[in-house]
């Protein structure tokens, strides 16, 4: 239950914040963590925030701040450049990489809204509707990366299958 509450909070954060830049979407395989504990981009515990950002900077991310607020991530939210050095302005943060998969195709929230002609405010209820779920398979995937002092300390993935919820 806790997983679904967190997913819903993160989803609302993503839906109600704008994103003007084109972003890449992750594949289902990108959410798999190897036995060695690394992602498909060779990021794992101990990786630096800079390494992580270099690997994932073209993907839509959310940031979870120490105060529990989530927002669309921008590098300048947590780091500044002083000369040639990157300085982290937050001691701890979580970066989240979310993706919707409709019929196994990765979709951004903007793409979903355009394709199905629905507003961001109504997207969650649209994706949860029995009529839509009878015609489509919807999965929400998220990778959660916790950083302390610029180092990855925890790497988790989670998914929510909307169709399974309909069946139960």
């Amino acid at each position: 239950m806790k997983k679904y509450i967190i997913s819903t909070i993160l989803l609302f954060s993503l839906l109600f914040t704008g994103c003007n830049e084109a972003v890449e979407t992750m594949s289902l395989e990108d959410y798999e963590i190897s036995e060695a504990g690394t992602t498909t981009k060779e990021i794992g515990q101990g990786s630096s925030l800079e390494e992580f950002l270099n690997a994932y900077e073209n993907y839509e991310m959310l940031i979870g701040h120490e105060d529990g607020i989530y927002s669309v991530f921008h590098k300048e939210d947590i780091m500044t450049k002083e000369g040639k050095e990157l300085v982290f302005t937050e001691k701890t943060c979580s970066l989240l990489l979310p993706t919707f998969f409709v019929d196994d195709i990765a979709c951004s929230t903007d793409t979903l809204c355009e394709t199905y002609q629905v507003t961001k405010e109504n997207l969650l209820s649209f994706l949860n509707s029995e009529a839509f779920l009878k015609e489509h398979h919807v999965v929400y995937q998220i990778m959660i990366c916790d950083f302390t002092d610029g180092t990855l300390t925890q790497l988790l993935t989670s998914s929510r299958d909307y169709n399974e919820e309909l069946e139960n």
Side-chain angles (χ1 to χ4, degrees):
M1 182 66 167
K2 183 179 177 184
K3 176 170 77 170
Y4 295 115
I5 292 170
I6 292 170
S7 310
T8 303
I9 290 169
L10 297 175
L11 176 60
F12 275 117
S13 298
L14 185 60
L15 291 176
F16 294 117
T17 52
C19 182
N20 296 329
E21 297 177 17
V23 294
E24 295 179 35
T25 52
M26 291 179 53
S27 69
L28 284 170
E29 293 79 26
D30 289 331
Y31 285 97
E32 294 176 10
I33 298 174
S34 72
E35 288 183 23
T38 59
T39 68
T40 56
K41 296 188 180 292
E42 300 300 320
I43 299 296
Q45 283 189 339
S47 294
S48 71
L49 181 57
E50 191 169 5
E51 292 168 327
F52 176 85
L53 293 175
N54 287 336
Y56 291 101
E57 68 184 343
N58 294 327
Y59 297 91
E60 188 169 46
M61 284 186 259
L62 297 175
I63 183 170
H65 300 277
E66 291 175 347
D67 58 6
I69 302 296
Y70 292 92
S71 60
V72 172
F73 172 74
H74 304 282
K75 280 185 183 179
E76 51 278 358
D77 289 342
I78 59 168
M79 56 197 330
T80 60
K81 196 166 190 173
E82 293 181 8
K84 293 185 179 187
E85 296 294 316
L86 292 173
V87 177
F88 302 102
T89 56
E90 289 199 22
K91 182 171 177 56
T92 62
C93 70
S94 295
L95 293 179
L96 309 122
L97 293 138
T99 305
F100 278 107
F101 293 87
V102 177
D103 301 326
D104 295 324
I105 298 170
C107 304
S108 69
T109 53
D110 289 338
T111 299
L112 286 169
C113 290
E114 290 172 24
T115 301
Y116 297 106
Q117 298 178 341
V118 62
T119 64
K120 283 188 178 184
E121 294 79 17
N122 294 322
L123 183 59
L124 184 59
S125 60
F126 177 77
L127 293 174
N128 273 309
S129 71
E130 189 173 337
F132 188 78
L133 292 174
K134 283 184 178 181
E135 298 293 323
H136 301 281
H137 185 229
V138 179
V139 175
Y140 178 69
Q141 291 275 117
I142 191 161
M143 183 183 296
I144 304 167
C145 306
D146 294 330
F147 291 88
T148 302
D149 293 325
T151 301
L152 182 62
T153 56
Q154 183 168 300
L155 176 64
L156 303 168
T157 60
S158 182
S159 68
R160 179 180 179 188
D161 187 323
Y162 284 63
N163 296 77
E164 282 182 8
E165 292 176 24
L166 179 66
E167 295 168 5
N168 293 328

